[in-house]
Amino acid sequence: MFPILLAVLLPFADPSQPKLTPQQQQRIEQAKASFEVHRQAALRLNDMAQSIQSEADARKFVDGIEEELFDHRGSIPSKLQSWITHSMRRRVARAEFAAVSDPANLIPEQRVVDVWNEYVREIGAPDNALVTVAEVHNLRDGLYTGSQRMWNRGGFGQSLWIIPGIYALDRNGKVAAGCRAIEALKVLHDMENSFISVKSARERVQKGVLVSDLLRQPQPEAAQPISTVVSLAQSPELDLISACARRYSEEHGQKAYKELMERLFQELFPVQ
């Protein structure tokens, strides 16, 4: 990650600074080339997400997501790598195809909420980690809106974690009341690894606003600005859920954590 950040910052470097050595320049070029490979993969996956017309298409899409994720092995905890099986991928693919085929087959937000709240209770997280349907919907709206804006900018805004094509939308182009399969997994992933996003959604729910609406409707100058994010410096909850999950795994063992994850997977994607 550091070489990529360095490559981004270089155009803004002070011209009076010493020139880069050939070795440093080579590392930067290698980082740029590596990012471009993954950017192209993200572009392909986004196209696949928006053109699923069969279960076979959905399987290729899900397999492509997994392949790109495992290429970033540091992005997936080893405890999760061990239980992602072929049968699980097939079930996700079936749910993905069902969701794009008929909105009635979207994964209800209530199910996502139920799975998350069960997880939170099992790992011993505090009660304020429990969520509501309104908060999950608001979070999804924020994730989609942010992803779409960054994706449209191109360059570093196009990566596996920002693919906008995975979200379920209604006829008005806004986030639907249910999720697609990969989207549901992405939402749960973000909730665990950045609980700050849940807090931000909670604050917006209390104010009765969506990120998509905020960006469409300019706020009056005299109005109090509504924050769509929470400052990292003010958010001890940033690693809240991950820390609870690590403690649960240490106290109960990897086997118990794996069994918990498998049970939640079955609940999120029940056999039809």
Side-chain angles (χ1 to χ4, degrees):
M1 179 59 74
F2 177 75
I4 294 178
L5 292 176
L6 179 60
V8 176
L9 294 173
L10 275 177
F12 305 99
D14 186 342
S16 65
Q17 295 297 319
K19 292 184 178 180
L20 294 171
T21 66
Q23 293 81 6
Q24 290 173 324
Q25 187 64 43
Q26 182 181 20
R27 286 198 295 271
I28 290 171
E29 294 303 321
Q30 289 173 342
K32 288 181 178 179
S34 176
F35 176 80
E36 181 59 22
V37 169
H38 294 301
R39 189 179 78 88
Q40 291 299 325
L43 288 170
R44 289 193 298 273
L45 288 167
N46 189 60
D47 289 341
M48 293 172 68
Q50 299 178 91
S51 57
I52 294 174
Q53 298 183 7
S54 67
E55 189 171 322
D57 290 341
R59 288 181 187 176
K60 290 179 182 178
F61 171 57
V62 171
D63 288 345
I65 289 286
E66 190 212 20
E67 181 178 339
E68 184 66 7
L69 280 173
F70 275 92
D71 196 48
H72 296 284
R73 290 186 181 274
S75 301
I76 300 183
S78 58
K79 62 177 177 285
L80 295 184
Q81 294 180 12
S82 64
W83 66 269
I84 300 176
T85 65
H86 179 67
S87 63
M88 286 181 168
R89 292 197 304 273
R90 287 178 64 106
R91 184 177 293 194
V92 172
R94 284 195 295 270
E96 185 73 25
F97 175 58
V100 299
S101 300
D102 185 347
N105 294 326
L106 290 173
I107 299 170
E109 289 176 326
Q110 183 63 62
R111 189 188 303 165
V112 176
V113 168
D114 292 342
V115 167
W116 172 261
N117 287 344
E118 181 179 350
Y119 178 61
V120 163
R121 294 187 182 99
E122 286 284 347
I123 64 176
D127 288 344
N128 67 357
L130 299 172
V131 299
T132 66
V133 169
E135 289 166 353
V136 166
H137 185 81
N138 198 296
L139 172 63
R140 291 176 57 230
D141 172 85
L143 291 174
Y144 169 67
T145 303
S147 294
Q148 187 181 44
R149 287 171 65 87
M150 292 187 67
W151 188 268
N152 290 340
R153 293 174 183 172
F156 284 88
Q158 295 172 327
S159 76
L160 177 67
W161 299 102
I162 309 177
I163 293 176
I166 65 172
Y167 293 89
L169 306 179
D170 62 20
R171 293 181 179 179
N172 298 318
K174 301 196 70 171
V175 169
C179 307
R180 290 172 55 169
I182 291 296
E183 176 195 358
L185 293 172
K186 169 70 163 53
V187 169
L188 290 168
H189 170 277
D190 287 4
M191 289 169 69
E192 175 172 16
N193 290 276
S194 183
F195 193 71
I196 181 176
S197 60
V198 178
K199 285 191 57 102
S200 297
R202 183 169 292 161
E203 292 180 3
R204 293 193 298 270
V205 168
Q206 292 170 352
K207 293 179 172 69
V209 297
L210 295 166
V211 172
S212 57
D213 292 336
L214 290 174
L215 296 179
R216 289 192 182 110
Q217 302 173 2
Q219 297 295 311
E221 292 184 6
Q224 185 72 20
I226 301 174
S227 174
T228 59
V229 296
V230 177
S231 170
L232 295 180
Q234 299 174 348
S235 302
E237 295 91 346
L238 181 63
D239 191 44
L240 173 66
I241 307 302
S242 294
C244 292
R246 288 193 296 271
R247 185 178 66 244
Y248 177 91
S249 185
E250 291 169 359
E251 294 177 352
H252 297 83
Q254 291 287 331
K255 184 174 183 293
Y257 186 84
K258 177 182 176 181
E259 291 174 348
L260 170 61
M261 297 299 287
E262 289 176 341
R263 186 174 79 245
L264 295 175
F265 178 87
Q266 302 290 339
E267 294 175 7
L268 185 62
F269 302 111
V271 176
Q272 300 298 326

